[in-house]
Amino acid sequence: GAGVSQSPSNKVTEKGKDVELRCDPISGHTALYWYRQRLGQGLEFLIYFQGNSAPDKSGLPSDRFSAERTGESVSTLTIQRTQQEDSAVYLCASSSGPSRFFGPGTRLTVL
Amino acid sequence: DQQVKQNSPSLSVQEGRISILNCDYTNSMFDYFLWYKKYPAEGPTFLISISSIKDKNEDGRFTVFLNKSAKHLSLHIVPSQPGDSAVYFCAASGGTGNQFYFGTGTSLTVIP
C-alpha cells in the first residue's frame, strides 16, 4: 500500500508477557519513528531510526523496551514483561524529509 | 520537561467562525514546527508546517503564525467546519536531530 501500516491493530495481553509490534514504513523513507500515546497524554517520542545510523533510543522509557529495523524496511518494537502502564496506542511514522507520515497505530492493552 | 506546551486541552467553536489553537515552546533551538490533526482511532495526519525563517504560512483554510521572540505559534482555521473536529498537536524540531517534540494536544469541537 501507499501508507505506513502497523500490525496488529489491537493487542490485549496479560501483565508480564512480552509483545511485539510491527511497522511497515512507506517504501523509500529512510527515517522511521516510534511514538506512544497514553490516554489523555500527548505523543511521546520513543525511538528514531535513520538509514544505517545508530538509532536514537533516548525516548525509550525503560530497558524493557527495544526496537529493531533492518535496513530501510520493517521495524519491530518489543516490550518485555509488560506492565499496565504500558497500555497505550503505539504509533509508527516514516519520513524522507521533515514531515512524517503516521500509521494507524497499535492499541495495546495490558491487563 | 515539556518543551512544547498546548495549554488549552479543549476548544469549542461555532461553524463558520475562526478557530485559534495555540502552542508555546521553550527551546530557542527549535527551527521547524508542524501541526498535526488526529481523529479518534486513527494516526495523526500532517496538516501544515512552518520554518523559523518565516512568520506565516498559509494553506487554504489553515494558517500558521510563528512569533519567535515569544516562542509561540498558533494555528488559525477559517472558516471552521464540523469535519475539523479533532485533536490538534503542535510539534517542534531543531538542532542536529530529527526528533520532534509534541505538545499534549487541543481537542477542537466545531459546533454545526
Side-chain angles (χ1 to χ4, degrees):
Chain A
V4 178
S5 60
Q6 292 185 243
S7 61
S9 56
N10 279 286
K11 177 70 177 178
V12 180
T13 190
E14 293 179 349
K15 178 181 173 181
K17 296 285 181 68
D18 298 351
V19 295
E20 191 172 277
L21 312 180
R22 176 187 168 108
C23 172
D24 285 86
I26 293 172
S27 177
H29 280 190
T30 57
L32 186 147
Y33 307 76
W34 282 97
Y35 296 92
R36 175 171 74 173
Q37 182 168 31
R38 290 187 281 190
L39 188 66
Q41 298 187 24
L43 286 168
E44 178 185 2
F45 166 76
L46 296 177
I47 188 169
Y48 158 58
F49 296 90
Q50 175 62 57
N52 294 318
S53 302
D56 176 357
K57 303 180 182 180
S58 59
L60 294 178
S62 78
D63 59 7
R64 296 186 295 105
F65 288 73
S66 63
E68 292 184 350
R69 186 185 188 195
T70 305
E72 296 181 356
S73 61
V74 171
S75 175
T76 55
L77 176 69
T78 302
I79 309 172
Q80 297 177 307
R81 305 181 302 282
T82 53
Q83 303 295 313
Q84 287 182 331
E85 63 262 26
D86 299 335
S87 296
V89 176
Y90 289 82
L91 290 155
C92 171
S94 71
S95 75
S96 60
S99 304
R100 49 218 56 182
F101 298 83
F102 282 82
T106 294
R107 181 174 297 277
L108 174 66
T109 303
V110 182
L111 302 176
Chain B
D1 181 31
Q2 193 76 21
Q3 298 196 51
V4 178
K5 299 177 183 178
Q6 293 176 256
N7 293 319
S8 297
S10 63
L11 175 68
S12 291
V13 173
Q14 205 72 33
E15 180 179 5
R17 306 294 288 267
I18 183 172
S19 295
I20 300 176
L21 297 99
N22 294 303
C23 180
D24 296 289
Y25 59 96
T26 58
N27 190 335
S28 58
M29 294 295 293
F30 288 153
D31 59 6
Y32 195 81
F33 305 88
L34 305 171
W35 282 95
Y36 285 89
K37 180 168 72 172
K38 185 181 184 305
Y39 293 114
E42 294 182 16
T45 55
F46 170 76
L47 199 57
I48 193 168
S49 66
I50 189 168
S51 76
S52 60
I53 62 173
K54 302 175 79 172
D55 54 19
K56 176 183 175 181
N57 189 26
E58 190 173 353
D59 183 3
R61 296 185 298 112
F62 301 90
T63 303
V64 56
F65 295 91
L66 175 63
N67 182 334
K68 291 184 287 295
S69 61
K71 297 192 182 66
H72 177 83
L73 67 156
S74 60
L75 175 68
H76 292 209
I77 306 173
V78 183
S80 301
Q81 300 174 354
D84 297 330
S85 297
V87 179
Y88 290 78
F89 292 93
C90 69
S93 176
T96 57
N98 263 328
Q99 180 170 328
F100 274 78
Y101 297 85
F102 286 84
T104 51
T106 297
S107 177
L108 174 66
T109 302
V110 180
I111 304 164

